[in-house]
Amino acid sequence: MRVVIAGAGSVGSSIARELLGNKHEILLIDEKPEVIGRSGLKGAKWLIGDACELTTLKDARLDEADVVVSATGDDKVNLVVSLLAKSEFGVGRTVGRVNNPKNDWMFDDSWGVDVAVNTPRLMTALVEEAVEIGDLVRLLTLQTGMSSIVEFTVPQDSPLVGGTIGSISLPAECAVVAVLRDDSPITPSPDDVVEGGDEMFFLAAIAAEDELRVALSARSDGDPEEER
């Protein structure tokens, strides 16, 4: 996979390092030549220039990129790069870094952003995920901001424990996509029995999150034994 990363600061360099370790082709764009020596990245290609300039993006052969990551510390730059990548070069996948949470609403498909990564919000979610047992924690907002990935840690005394995943009355716009149990991921099926401490991951419409929260707070009424 060919990935172009705009911004070779700590975030951009960290992303590049991980992707290089997974054998992807990486090109980094930055205005400062000194970042090449500082980065310590081996195997990455470099382009010194302004990523907001069409000529720079043409030199980067953005039309051949599978993914463009806008990882600078300036939200305006990240939005412009994402928009140009989509509108001028037809890049299939764009990822935009959100530096200021107040700008989160702009990072959607109208600006060419497929996935927005809000670092402060993600860190908050990870903190909440570590301590919030029995409540939904939104981990990631997807694409147009209409859907999200949310996590729910099942309390030991939850009425869900002992029932099956299929017995939970989930909203129509929600689906269980994974369960983490004893640090091992499980592909969920309707017949799987819920255990206390399970971390359940859902793909959900943001508008349905409150309904999902209610559904997870009590056992589904589909268990006839419980009804008797």
Coordinates of all heavy atoms in Angstrom, one line a residue, residues 70-168:
S70 N -3.3 13.4 6.7 CA -2.9 14.8 7.0 C -2.7 14.9 8.4 O -3.6 14.9 9.3 CB -4.1 15.7 6.6 OG -4.4 15.5 5.2
A71 N -1.4 14.9 8.8 CA -1.0 14.8 10.2 C -0.3 16.0 10.7 O 0.5 15.9 11.7 CB -0.2 13.5 10.4
T72 N -0.5 17.2 10.1 CA 0.2 18.4 10.6 C -0.4 18.9 11.9 O -1.5 18.4 12.3 CB 0.2 19.5 9.6 OG1 -1.0 20.1 9.6 CG2 0.5 19.0 8.2
G73 N 0.2 19.8 12.5 CA -0.3 20.4 13.7 C -1.3 21.6 13.5 O -1.7 22.3 14.4
D74 N -1.6 21.8 12.2 CA -2.5 22.9 11.8 C -3.8 22.3 11.1 O -3.7 21.7 10.1 CB -1.8 23.8 10.8 CG -2.5 25.1 10.5 OD1 -3.8 25.1 10.5 OD2 -1.9 26.1 10.3
D75 N -4.9 22.5 11.8 CA -6.2 22.0 11.2 C -6.5 22.5 9.8 O -7.0 21.8 9.0 CB -7.3 22.3 12.2 CG -7.3 21.4 13.4 OD1 -6.6 20.4 13.4 OD2 -8.0 21.7 14.4
K76 N -6.2 23.8 9.6 CA -6.5 24.3 8.3 C -5.7 23.6 7.2 O -6.2 23.3 6.1 CB -6.1 25.8 8.3 CG -6.9 26.7 9.2 CD -6.6 28.2 9.0 CE -5.2 28.5 9.4 NZ -4.9 28.4 10.8
V77 N -4.4 23.3 7.5 CA -3.6 22.6 6.5 C -4.2 21.2 6.3 O -4.3 20.7 5.1 CB -2.2 22.5 7.0 CG1 -1.3 21.5 6.1 CG2 -1.5 23.9 7.0
N78 N -4.5 20.5 7.4 CA -5.1 19.1 7.2 C -6.4 19.1 6.4 O -6.6 18.1 5.7 CB -5.3 18.5 8.6 CG -4.0 18.3 9.4 OD1 -2.9 18.3 8.8 ND2 -4.0 18.2 10.7
L79 N -7.2 20.1 6.6 CA -8.4 20.1 5.8 C -8.2 20.4 4.3 O -8.7 19.7 3.5 CB -9.4 21.2 6.4 CG -10.0 20.9 7.7 CD1 -10.7 22.2 8.2 CD2 -11.1 19.8 7.5
V80 N -7.3 21.3 4.0 CA -6.9 21.6 2.6 C -6.3 20.4 1.9 O -6.7 20.1 0.8 CB -6.0 22.8 2.6 CG1 -5.5 23.0 1.1 CG2 -6.7 24.1 3.0
V81 N -5.4 19.8 2.6 CA -4.7 18.6 2.0 C -5.7 17.5 1.7 O -5.7 16.9 0.7 CB -3.6 18.1 2.9 CG1 -3.1 16.7 2.4 CG2 -2.5 19.1 3.0
S82 N -6.6 17.2 2.7 CA -7.7 16.2 2.5 C -8.6 16.6 1.3 O -8.9 15.7 0.5 CB -8.5 16.0 3.8 OG -7.7 15.6 4.8
L83 N -9.0 17.8 1.2 CA -9.9 18.2 0.2 C -9.2 18.1 -1.2 O -9.8 17.6 -2.1 CB -10.3 19.7 0.4 CG -11.3 20.2 -0.6 CD1 -12.6 19.4 -0.6 CD2 -11.6 21.7 -0.3
L84 N -8.0 18.5 -1.3 CA -7.2 18.4 -2.6 C -7.0 17.0 -2.9 O -7.1 16.6 -4.1 CB -5.9 19.2 -2.5 CG -6.0 20.7 -2.4 CD1 -4.6 21.3 -2.2 CD2 -6.6 21.3 -3.6
A85 N -6.7 16.2 -2.0 CA -6.5 14.7 -2.2 C -7.7 14.1 -2.9 O -7.6 13.3 -3.8 CB -6.1 14.0 -0.9
K86 N -8.9 14.4 -2.3 CA -10.1 13.9 -2.8 C -10.5 14.5 -4.2 O -10.8 13.8 -5.1 CB -11.2 14.1 -1.8 CG -11.3 13.0 -0.7 CD -11.7 11.7 -1.2 CE -11.9 10.7 -0.1 NZ -12.2 9.3 -0.6
S87 N -10.6 15.8 -4.2 CA -11.2 16.5 -5.3 C -10.3 16.6 -6.5 O -10.7 16.5 -7.7 CB -11.6 17.9 -4.9 OG -10.5 18.7 -4.5
E88 N -9.0 16.7 -6.3 CA -8.0 16.9 -7.4 C -7.3 15.6 -7.9 O -6.9 15.4 -9.0 CB -7.0 17.9 -7.1 CG -7.5 19.3 -6.8 CD -8.2 19.9 -8.0 OE1 -7.7 19.7 -9.1 OE2 -9.2 20.7 -7.8
F89 N -7.2 14.6 -6.9 CA -6.4 13.5 -7.2 C -7.2 12.2 -7.0 O -6.7 11.1 -7.3 CB -5.1 13.4 -6.3 CG -4.2 14.6 -6.6 CD1 -4.3 15.7 -5.8 CD2 -3.3 14.5 -7.6 CE1 -3.5 16.8 -6.0 CE2 -2.4 15.6 -7.8 CZ -2.5 16.8 -7.0
G90 N -8.4 12.2 -6.6 CA -9.3 11.1 -6.4 C -8.7 10.0 -5.5 O -8.9 8.8 -5.8
V91 N -8.1 10.4 -4.4 CA -7.5 9.4 -3.5 C -8.7 8.7 -2.8 O -9.7 9.3 -2.4 CB -6.6 10.1 -2.4 CG1 -6.2 9.1 -1.4 CG2 -5.4 10.8 -3.1
G92 N -8.5 7.4 -2.7 CA -9.6 6.5 -2.2 C -9.8 6.7 -0.7 O -11.0 6.5 -0.2
R93 N -8.8 7.0 0.1 CA -9.0 7.0 1.5 C -8.1 8.2 2.1 O -6.9 8.3 1.8 CB -8.5 5.7 2.1 CG -8.7 5.5 3.6 CD -10.2 5.3 3.9 NE -10.4 4.7 5.2 CZ -11.6 4.5 5.7 NH1 -12.7 4.8 5.0 NH2 -11.8 3.9 6.9
T94 N -8.8 9.0 2.9 CA -8.1 10.1 3.5 C -8.3 10.1 5.0 O -9.4 9.8 5.5 CB -8.5 11.5 3.0 OG1 -9.9 11.7 3.3 CG2 -8.3 11.7 1.5
V95 N -7.2 10.4 5.8 CA -7.3 10.4 7.2 C -6.8 11.8 7.7 O -5.7 12.2 7.3 CB -6.4 9.3 7.9 CG1 -6.5 9.4 9.4 CG2 -6.9 7.9 7.4
G96 N -7.6 12.5 8.5 CA -7.2 13.8 8.9 C -7.1 13.9 10.4 O -7.9 13.5 11.2
R97 N -6.0 14.5 10.8 CA -5.7 14.7 12.3 C -6.4 16.0 12.7 O -6.3 17.0 12.1 CB -4.2 14.9 12.5 CG -3.8 15.3 13.9 CD -2.4 15.6 14.0 NE -2.0 16.0 15.3 CZ -0.8 16.5 15.6 NH1 0.2 16.6 14.6 NH2 -0.5 17.0 16.8
V98 N -7.2 15.9 13.8 CA -7.9 17.0 14.4 C -7.1 17.5 15.6 O -6.9 16.7 16.6 CB -9.3 16.7 14.8 CG1 -10.0 17.9 15.4 CG2 -10.1 16.1 13.7
N99 N -6.6 18.7 15.6 CA -5.8 19.2 16.7 C -6.6 19.9 17.7 O -6.5 19.7 18.9 CB -4.7 20.2 16.2 CG -3.7 19.5 15.3 OD1 -2.8 18.9 15.7 ND2 -3.9 19.6 13.9
N100 N -7.6 20.7 17.2 CA -8.5 21.4 18.1 C -9.9 20.8 18.1 O -10.5 20.8 17.0 CB -8.6 22.9 17.7 CG -9.4 23.8 18.6 OD1 -10.2 23.2 19.4 ND2 -9.2 25.1 18.6
P101 N -10.3 20.2 19.2 CA -11.6 19.5 19.2 C -12.8 20.4 18.7 O -13.8 19.9 18.2 CB -11.8 19.2 20.7 CG -10.5 19.1 21.2 CD -9.7 20.1 20.5
K102 N -12.7 21.7 18.8 CA -13.7 22.6 18.3 C -13.9 22.6 16.8 O -14.9 23.0 16.3 CB -13.4 24.1 18.7 CG -13.5 24.3 20.2 CD -13.2 25.8 20.6 CE -13.3 26.0 22.1 NZ -13.0 27.4 22.5
N103 N -12.8 22.1 16.1 CA -12.9 22.0 14.7 C -13.3 20.6 14.2 O -13.4 20.4 13.0 CB -11.5 22.3 14.1 CG -11.0 23.7 14.4 OD1 -11.8 24.6 14.5 ND2 -9.7 23.9 14.5
D104 N -13.7 19.8 15.1 CA -14.0 18.4 14.7 C -15.2 18.3 13.7 O -15.2 17.5 12.8 CB -14.4 17.6 16.0 CG -14.5 16.1 15.8 OD1 -13.7 15.6 15.0 OD2 -15.3 15.5 16.5
W105 N -16.1 19.2 13.8 CA -17.3 19.2 13.0 C -17.0 19.4 11.5 O -17.7 19.0 10.6 CB -18.3 20.2 13.4 CG -17.8 21.6 13.3 CD1 -17.1 22.3 14.2 CD2 -18.1 22.5 12.2 NE1 -16.8 23.6 13.7 CE2 -17.4 23.8 12.5 CE3 -18.7 22.4 11.0 CZ2 -17.4 24.9 11.7 CZ3 -18.8 23.5 10.1 CH2 -18.1 24.7 10.5
M106 N -15.8 20.0 11.2 CA -15.5 20.3 9.8 C -14.8 19.1 9.1 O -14.7 19.0 7.9 CB -14.5 21.5 9.7 CG -15.2 22.8 10.1 SD -14.1 24.2 9.7 CE -12.9 24.1 11.0
F107 N -14.3 18.2 9.9 CA -13.6 17.0 9.3 C -14.6 15.9 8.9 O -14.7 14.9 9.5 CB -12.6 16.5 10.4 CG -11.3 17.3 10.5 CD1 -11.4 18.5 11.1 CD2 -10.1 16.9 9.9 CE1 -10.2 19.3 11.2 CE2 -9.0 17.6 10.0 CZ -9.0 18.9 10.7
D108 N -15.2 16.2 7.8 CA -16.2 15.2 7.2 C -16.0 15.2 5.7 O -15.0 15.7 5.2 CB -17.6 15.6 7.6 CG -18.0 17.0 7.1 OD1 -17.4 17.6 6.2 OD2 -19.0 17.5 7.7
D109 N -16.9 14.5 5.0 CA -16.7 14.3 3.6 C -16.8 15.6 2.8 O -16.3 15.7 1.6 CB -17.7 13.3 3.0 CG -19.2 13.7 3.3 OD1 -19.4 14.6 4.0 OD2 -20.1 13.0 2.7
S110 N -17.4 16.7 3.3 CA -17.5 17.9 2.6 C -16.1 18.5 2.4 O -15.9 19.3 1.5 CB -18.4 18.9 3.3 OG -17.9 19.3 4.6
W111 N -15.2 18.2 3.3 CA -13.8 18.6 3.2 C -12.9 17.4 2.8 O -11.7 17.5 2.9 CB -13.3 19.1 4.6 CG -13.6 20.6 4.8 CD1 -14.7 21.1 5.4 CD2 -12.9 21.7 4.3 NE1 -14.7 22.4 5.4 CE2 -13.6 22.9 4.7 CE3 -11.7 21.9 3.6 CZ2 -13.2 24.2 4.4 CZ3 -11.3 23.1 3.3 CH2 -12.0 24.3 3.7
G112 N -13.5 16.4 2.3 CA -12.7 15.3 1.7 C -12.1 14.3 2.8 O -11.3 13.5 2.4
V113 N -12.6 14.4 4.0 CA -12.0 13.6 5.1 C -12.9 12.3 5.3 O -14.1 12.4 5.5 CB -12.0 14.4 6.4 CG1 -11.4 13.5 7.5 CG2 -11.1 15.6 6.3
D114 N -12.3 11.2 5.1 CA -13.0 9.9 5.3 C -13.0 9.5 6.8 O -14.0 9.1 7.3 CB -12.3 8.8 4.5 CG -12.6 8.9 3.0 OD1 -13.7 9.3 2.6 OD2 -11.6 8.7 2.2
V115 N -11.8 9.7 7.4 CA -11.7 9.4 8.9 C -11.0 10.5 9.6 O -9.9 10.9 9.2 CB -10.9 8.1 9.1 CG1 -10.8 7.8 10.6 CG2 -11.6 6.9 8.4
A116 N -11.7 11.0 10.6 CA -11.1 12.1 11.4 C -10.5 11.5 12.7 O -11.2 10.8 13.4 CB -12.1 13.2 11.7
V117 N -9.3 11.8 13.0 CA -8.7 11.3 14.2 C -8.5 12.5 15.2 O -7.6 13.3 15.0 CB -7.3 10.6 14.0 CG1 -6.7 10.1 15.3 CG2 -7.5 9.5 13.0
N118 N -9.4 12.5 16.2 CA -9.3 13.6 17.2 C -8.5 13.1 18.4 O -9.0 12.4 19.2 CB -10.7 14.0 17.6 CG -10.8 15.2 18.5 OD1 -9.9 15.4 19.3 ND2 -11.9 16.0 18.3
T119 N -7.2 13.5 18.4 CA -6.3 13.0 19.4 C -6.8 13.3 20.9 O -6.9 12.4 21.7 CB -4.9 13.5 19.2 OG1 -4.5 13.2 17.9 CG2 -3.9 12.9 20.2
P120 N -7.2 14.5 21.2 CA -7.7 14.8 22.5 C -8.9 14.0 22.9 O -9.0 13.4 24.0 CB -8.0 16.3 22.5 CG -7.1 16.9 21.4 CD -7.1 15.8 20.4
R121 N -9.8 13.9 21.9 CA -11.1 13.1 22.2 C -10.7 11.6 22.3 O -11.3 10.9 23.2 CB -12.1 13.3 21.1 CG -13.4 12.6 21.3 CD -14.4 13.1 20.3 NE -14.8 14.4 20.6 CZ -15.6 15.2 19.8 NH1 -16.1 14.7 18.7 NH2 -15.9 16.4 20.2
L122 N -9.8 11.1 21.5 CA -9.5 9.7 21.6 C -8.8 9.4 22.9 O -9.1 8.4 23.5 CB -8.5 9.4 20.4 CG -8.0 7.9 20.4 CD1 -9.2 7.0 20.3 CD2 -7.1 7.7 19.2
M123 N -7.9 10.3 23.4 CA -7.3 10.1 24.7 C -8.4 10.1 25.8 O -8.3 9.3 26.7 CB -6.2 11.1 24.9 CG -5.0 11.0 24.0 SD -3.8 12.3 24.3 CE -3.2 11.8 26.0
T124 N -9.3 11.0 25.7 CA -10.4 11.0 26.7 C -11.2 9.7 26.7 O -11.5 9.2 27.7 CB -11.3 12.2 26.4 OG1 -10.6 13.4 26.4 CG2 -12.5 12.3 27.4
A125 N -11.5 9.3 25.5 CA -12.2 8.0 25.3 C -11.5 6.8 25.9 O -12.1 6.0 26.6 CB -12.5 7.7 23.9
L126 N -10.1 6.8 25.7 CA -9.4 5.7 26.3 C -9.3 5.8 27.8 O -9.3 4.7 28.5 CB -7.9 5.8 25.7 CG -7.8 5.4 24.2 CD1 -6.4 5.7 23.7 CD2 -8.2 4.0 24.0
V127 N -9.3 7.0 28.4 CA -9.3 7.1 29.8 C -10.7 6.6 30.3 O -10.8 5.9 31.3 CB -9.1 8.6 30.2 CG1 -9.4 8.8 31.7 CG2 -7.7 9.0 29.9
E128 N -11.8 7.1 29.7 CA -13.1 6.7 30.1 C -13.3 5.2 29.9 O -13.9 4.5 30.8 CB -14.1 7.4 29.2 CG -14.2 8.9 29.5 CD -15.3 9.6 28.7 OE1 -15.6 9.0 27.6 OE2 -15.7 10.6 29.0
E129 N -12.7 4.6 28.9 CA -12.8 3.2 28.6 C -12.2 2.4 29.7 O -12.6 1.3 30.1 CB -12.2 2.8 27.3 CG -12.5 1.4 26.8 CD -11.4 0.4 27.3 OE1 -10.3 0.9 27.6 OE2 -11.7 -0.8 27.3
A130 N -11.2 2.9 30.3 CA -10.5 2.2 31.4 C -11.2 2.3 32.7 O -11.0 1.4 33.6 CB -9.1 2.9 31.6
V131 N -12.1 3.2 32.9 CA -12.8 3.4 34.2 C -14.3 3.3 34.1 O -14.9 3.0 35.1 CB -12.4 4.7 34.9 CG1 -10.9 4.8 35.1 CG2 -12.8 5.9 34.0
E132 N -14.9 3.5 32.9 CA -16.3 3.5 32.8 C -16.8 2.1 32.5 O -17.0 1.7 31.4 CB -16.7 4.5 31.7 CG -16.5 6.0 32.1 CD -17.4 6.5 33.1 OE1 -18.4 5.9 33.4 OE2 -17.0 7.5 33.8
I133 N -17.1 1.4 33.6 CA -17.7 0.0 33.4 C -19.2 0.2 33.5 O -19.7 0.8 34.4 CB -17.2 -0.9 34.5 CG1 -15.7 -1.1 34.3 CG2 -17.9 -2.3 34.4 CD1 -15.0 -2.0 35.3
G134 N -19.9 -0.4 32.5 CA -21.4 -0.3 32.5 C -21.9 0.9 31.8 O -23.1 1.1 31.9
D135 N -21.1 1.6 31.0 CA -21.6 2.7 30.2 C -20.9 2.7 28.9 O -19.8 2.1 28.7 CB -21.4 4.0 30.9 CG -22.3 5.1 30.3 OD1 -23.2 4.8 29.5 OD2 -22.1 6.3 30.7
L136 N -21.6 3.3 27.9 CA -21.0 3.3 26.5 C -19.9 4.4 26.5 O -20.0 5.4 27.1 CB -22.1 3.8 25.5 CG -23.1 2.7 25.1 CD1 -24.0 3.3 24.0 CD2 -22.4 1.5 24.5
V137 N -18.8 4.0 25.8 CA -17.7 5.0 25.5 C -17.5 5.0 24.0 O -17.3 4.0 23.4 CB -16.4 4.5 26.2 CG1 -15.3 5.4 25.9 CG2 -16.6 4.4 27.7
R138 N -17.6 6.2 23.5 CA -17.4 6.4 22.0 C -15.9 6.4 21.8 O -15.2 7.3 22.3 CB -18.1 7.6 21.5 CG -18.0 7.8 20.0 CD -18.5 9.1 19.5 NE -19.9 9.3 19.8 CZ -20.6 10.4 19.6 NH1 -19.9 11.5 19.1 NH2 -21.8 10.6 20.0
L139 N -15.4 5.5 21.0 CA -14.0 5.4 20.7 C -13.6 6.2 19.4 O -12.6 6.7 19.3 CB -13.6 4.0 20.5 CG -13.8 3.1 21.8 CD1 -13.3 1.7 21.5 CD2 -13.0 3.7 23.0
L140 N -14.5 6.1 18.4 CA -14.2 6.7 17.1 C -15.4 7.1 16.3 O -16.4 6.3 16.3 CB -13.4 5.6 16.3 CG -12.9 6.1 14.9 CD1 -11.8 7.1 15.1 CD2 -12.3 4.9 14.2
T141 N -15.4 8.3 15.7 CA -16.5 8.7 14.9 C -16.1 8.4 13.4 O -15.0 8.8 13.0 CB -16.8 10.2 15.1 OG1 -17.2 10.4 16.4 CG2 -17.9 10.7 14.2
L142 N -17.0 7.9 12.6 CA -16.6 7.4 11.3 C -17.1 8.4 10.2 O -18.3 8.9 10.3 CB -17.1 6.0 11.0 CG -16.7 4.9 12.0 CD1 -17.4 3.6 11.7 CD2 -15.2 4.8 12.0
Q143 N -16.4 8.6 9.2 CA -16.7 9.3 8.0 C -17.5 10.5 8.2 O -17.0 11.5 8.7 CB -17.4 8.3 7.0 CG -16.5 7.2 6.6 CD -17.0 6.4 5.4 OE1 -18.1 6.7 4.9 NE2 -16.2 5.5 4.9
T144 N -18.8 10.5 7.9 CA -19.6 11.8 7.9 C -20.0 12.2 9.2 O -20.8 13.1 9.4 CB -20.8 11.6 7.0 OG1 -21.6 10.5 7.5 CG2 -20.4 11.3 5.5
G145 N -19.6 11.5 10.3 CA -20.1 11.8 11.6 C -21.4 11.3 12.0 O -22.0 11.6 13.0
M146 N -21.9 10.4 11.2 CA -23.2 9.8 11.4 C -23.1 8.5 12.2 O -24.1 8.0 12.8 CB -24.0 9.5 10.1 CG -24.2 10.8 9.3 SD -25.2 12.0 10.1 CE -26.8 11.2 10.1
S147 N -22.0 7.8 12.2 CA -21.8 6.5 12.8 C -20.5 6.6 13.7 O -19.7 7.4 13.5 CB -21.7 5.4 11.8 OG -22.8 5.3 11.0
S148 N -20.5 5.6 14.6 CA -19.3 5.6 15.5 C -19.1 4.1 16.0 O -19.9 3.2 15.8 CB -19.6 6.4 16.8 OG -20.7 5.9 17.5
I149 N -17.9 3.9 16.5 CA -17.5 2.7 17.2 C -17.6 3.0 18.7 O -16.9 3.9 19.1 CB -16.2 2.2 16.7 CG1 -16.2 1.7 15.3 CG2 -15.7 1.0 17.6 CD1 -14.9 1.3 14.7
V150 N -18.4 2.2 19.4 CA -18.5 2.4 20.8 C -18.2 1.1 21.6 O -18.3 0.1 21.0 CB -19.9 2.9 21.2 CG1 -20.2 4.3 20.6 CG2 -21.0 1.9 20.8
E151 N -17.8 1.3 22.8 CA -17.4 0.2 23.7 C -18.2 0.1 24.9 O -18.6 1.2 25.5 CB -15.9 0.3 24.0 CG -15.3 -0.9 24.8 CD -15.4 -0.7 26.3 OE1 -15.8 0.4 26.7 OE2 -15.1 -1.6 27.0
F152 N -18.5 -1.1 25.3 CA -19.3 -1.3 26.6 C -18.7 -2.4 27.3 O -18.6 -3.6 26.8 CB -20.8 -1.6 26.2 CG -21.6 -1.9 27.4 CD1 -22.2 -0.9 28.2 CD2 -21.9 -3.3 27.8 CE1 -23.0 -1.2 29.3 CE2 -22.7 -3.5 28.9 CZ -23.3 -2.5 29.6
T153 N -18.2 -2.1 28.6 CA -17.7 -3.2 29.4 C -18.8 -3.7 30.3 O -19.4 -2.9 31.1 CB -16.5 -2.7 30.3 OG1 -15.5 -2.2 29.4 CG2 -16.0 -3.8 31.2
V154 N -19.1 -5.0 30.2 CA -20.2 -5.6 31.0 C -19.8 -5.7 32.4 O -18.9 -6.4 32.8 CB -20.5 -7.0 30.4 CG1 -21.7 -7.6 31.1 CG2 -20.9 -6.9 28.9
P155 N -20.6 -5.1 33.3 CA -20.3 -5.3 34.8 C -20.6 -6.7 35.2 O -21.4 -7.4 34.6 CB -21.3 -4.3 35.4 CG -21.7 -3.4 34.4 CD -21.7 -4.1 33.1
Q156 N -19.9 -7.1 36.3 CA -20.1 -8.5 36.8 C -21.5 -8.8 37.2 O -22.0 -9.9 37.1 CB -19.1 -8.8 37.9 CG -17.7 -8.7 37.6 CD -17.2 -9.8 36.6 OE1 -17.9 -10.9 36.6 NE2 -16.1 -9.6 35.9
D157 N -22.2 -7.7 37.7 CA -23.6 -7.9 38.2 C -24.7 -7.5 37.1 O -25.8 -7.3 37.5 CB -23.8 -7.1 39.5 CG -23.6 -5.6 39.3 OD1 -23.1 -5.2 38.2 OD2 -23.9 -4.9 40.2
S158 N -24.2 -7.3 35.9 CA -25.2 -6.9 34.8 C -26.2 -8.0 34.6 O -25.9 -9.2 34.6 CB -24.4 -6.6 33.5 OG -25.3 -6.4 32.5
P159 N -27.4 -7.6 34.3 CA -28.5 -8.6 33.9 C -28.2 -9.2 32.6 O -28.8 -10.2 32.3 CB -29.8 -7.7 33.9 CG -29.3 -6.3 33.7 CD -28.0 -6.2 34.5
L160 N -27.2 -8.7 31.8 CA -26.9 -9.3 30.6 C -26.1 -10.6 30.7 O -26.1 -11.5 29.9 CB -26.1 -8.4 29.7 CG -26.7 -7.0 29.3 CD1 -25.7 -6.2 28.5 CD2 -27.9 -7.3 28.4
V161 N -25.4 -10.7 31.9 CA -24.5 -11.9 32.1 C -25.4 -13.2 32.2 O -26.4 -13.3 32.8 CB -23.8 -11.7 33.5 CG1 -23.0 -13.0 33.8 CG2 -22.8 -10.5 33.4
G162 N -24.9 -14.1 31.4 CA -25.6 -15.4 31.3 C -26.6 -15.5 30.1 O -27.0 -16.6 29.8
G163 N -26.9 -14.4 29.6 CA -27.8 -14.4 28.4 C -27.0 -14.4 27.1 O -25.7 -14.3 27.2
T164 N -27.6 -14.6 26.0 CA -26.9 -14.6 24.8 C -26.8 -13.2 24.1 O -27.7 -12.4 24.4 CB -27.5 -15.6 23.8 OG1 -28.9 -15.1 23.5 CG2 -27.6 -17.0 24.4
I165 N -25.9 -13.0 23.2 CA -25.8 -11.8 22.5 C -27.1 -11.6 21.7 O -27.6 -10.4 21.6 CB -24.5 -11.7 21.6 CG1 -23.3 -11.6 22.5 CG2 -24.6 -10.6 20.6 CD1 -22.0 -11.7 21.7
G166 N -27.6 -12.6 21.1 CA -28.8 -12.5 20.3 C -30.0 -12.1 21.1 O -31.0 -11.7 20.5
S167 N -30.0 -12.3 22.4 CA -31.2 -11.9 23.2 C -31.2 -10.4 23.5 O -32.2 -10.0 24.1 CB -31.2 -12.7 24.5 OG -30.2 -12.3 25.4
I168 N -30.1 -9.7 23.2 CA -30.1 -8.3 23.5 C -30.9 -7.5 22.5 O -30.7 -7.7 21.3 CB -28.7 -7.7 23.6 CG1 -27.8 -8.5 24.6 CG2 -28.7 -6.3 23.9 CD1 -26.4 -8.2 24.6

